[in-house]
Amino acid sequence: MQWQREREPAVSPLGDGQASSDGQASSDGSLPRWLRPLYEAEEMRAADAYTIEQVSVPSLELMERAGTGLARVCAERAHRDPIVVVIGKGNNAGDGLVCARHLRAEGREVEVLALFAPEELSGDARTNLERLPGDRPKPFARERLEGAALICDALLGTGARGAPRPPFDAAIAAINDSGAPIVACDIPSGVDATTGEVPGAAVRAHATATFHASKVGLHVRPGAEHAGEVVEIEIGIARDAPRPRRCGLISEEVARLYPPRSRYGHKFRTGFVLVVGGSVGLTGAPALAALAAQRAGAGYVQLALPASVRDVVDARLLEQMCLAFPERDGTHDPVSVERLGELAARVGCVALGPGLGRTEAAIAFARAAAAALPVPIVLDADGLGAHAGELELLATRRAPTVLTPHEGELARLLAVDVDEVRAHRLRSAREAARRAQAICLLKGDDTLVALPDGRVAISAGGSPALATAGTGDVLTGIIAAFVARGMEPLAATCFAVLAHARAGAAAARRLGADHVIARDVIDELPAAIAGPGGPAPPAEVGGPRFPRRLG
């Protein structure tokens, strides 16, 4: 292991780089600079309170700026009148009333519908009710939404938790059923701003005008599916106000950490990846992982395969070396783990699991290999399945571990129903990372990369082209290559997510999203890794949920 220690002196078992000069997370648990901070509800409340109490910015002034920005977002999307603003009775109602006032000042026809009697409004919301010119708010009724050119949802704010109760639930259903475009105020009503969970009725917005900065719940499913385009409205929160410390969007800045290949380097020092997997009938997965690793920059890739499938995989590959290992029942024999450990002594990263199979021998081999290997591993597919309900087995590893499950795999790892993971993606990813003391990458358009300490990096979005067989194996190969090249594991995993999304978007533009296969994604990797200068510009990656700023 002397070679490994010399090559990667800054890598810790959990991927928490100590140095801040290269953009890594510091030892105090703050977010790396290449993550664009996303606020939880409590973090946003703290920033508001600091600005109001410590910097003496009146809360009424913050509300004015929020409502002004909301009005602009509504005006841009309403090409005719009337615009209907639906309000509750909290601060969101005040934002909605400011919005209605500015739209009326511009000559727009605006109707305000209130779920509660106006006298129930208080504080800044009551002040803005008194400032509203023209007609007073009318009681909410479903039929009053008919003919609306646009509906502004100002019912519930970021502080709301749990399923909306009456009369909110019925109003949300009516708004969704109206058929009109919907702009949400700060967060779609019914979406949890901190988790993205949707425990009951929730508005399905076409756009969300969110204040100061974006919220976690706008980027994590199922909440992300309700957000539409996310537009950030600058409202004047103090620059030195408390900042988010737990979640952030993966930004293009992470690409700067990809180490260039030295002219004096050689194949072993530019990334040595070992792919361990394959079994009878499952030979494509390790081949795809190996191809992706080399396209992603690994200088040398070997595959450890059961003897009976070595020739099958070898026939598909040219630059990668295939090694035959003892087998049992068509897959790896657990007795070969010792040989695997000897082989891994010079390896930068091991991709363990693609095509391994689910026999008893495969499960025993995967568990023994994960426990014994002294180098970073990316655990995928059947390597994950071998640890179903036994995540704690991975917690004793001393080298970095990256888990790459989809929702079904994560459900099996946690021994819960898949619907539980689907409804609580953020919580589930964090739980797996904590129990395994590993990085947990939960796949999806909102791919989540969770650390054991609760910090989470979130993908701004990928491409539907990636929803095809084999692209998960490609992602595994990319992560392994980046780690083997010396990137800190968290940064390597996040940049792999970004490059994978870029490559998928580029392949979709070339072939159409319905026609992309995993090999097409591999073909696009060089340009995707190179960045915006290639054919897959970052704007394609973010899609409608990557926040754009409205000052």
Side-chain angles (χ1 to χ4, degrees), residues 92 153 156-158 184-189 191-193 208-210 215 217-218:
N92 255 36
D153 158 35
L156 295 169
T158 57
C185 173
D186 212 9
I187 193 86
S189 294
V191 172
D192 190 303
T208 298
T210 194
K215 314 305 183 294
L218 297 174

Side-chain angles (χ1 to χ4, degrees), residues 438-510:
I439 295 171
C440 179
L441 183 160
L442 176 55
K443 297 172 187 173
D445 186 66
D446 61 330
T447 294
L448 310 179
V449 182
L451 285 171
D453 63 9
R455 288 176 293 161
V456 180
I458 303 171
S459 171
S463 168
L466 295 175
T468 188
T471 56
D473 302 306
V474 172
L475 179 58
T476 293
I478 302 170
I479 299 169
F482 290 174
V483 172
R485 285 180 67 88
M487 290 186 73
E488 182 268 340
L490 175 61
T493 304
C494 291
F495 184 37
V497 169
L498 177 63
H500 191 238
R502 284 174 171 173
R509 288 197 297 275
R510 180 166 57 88

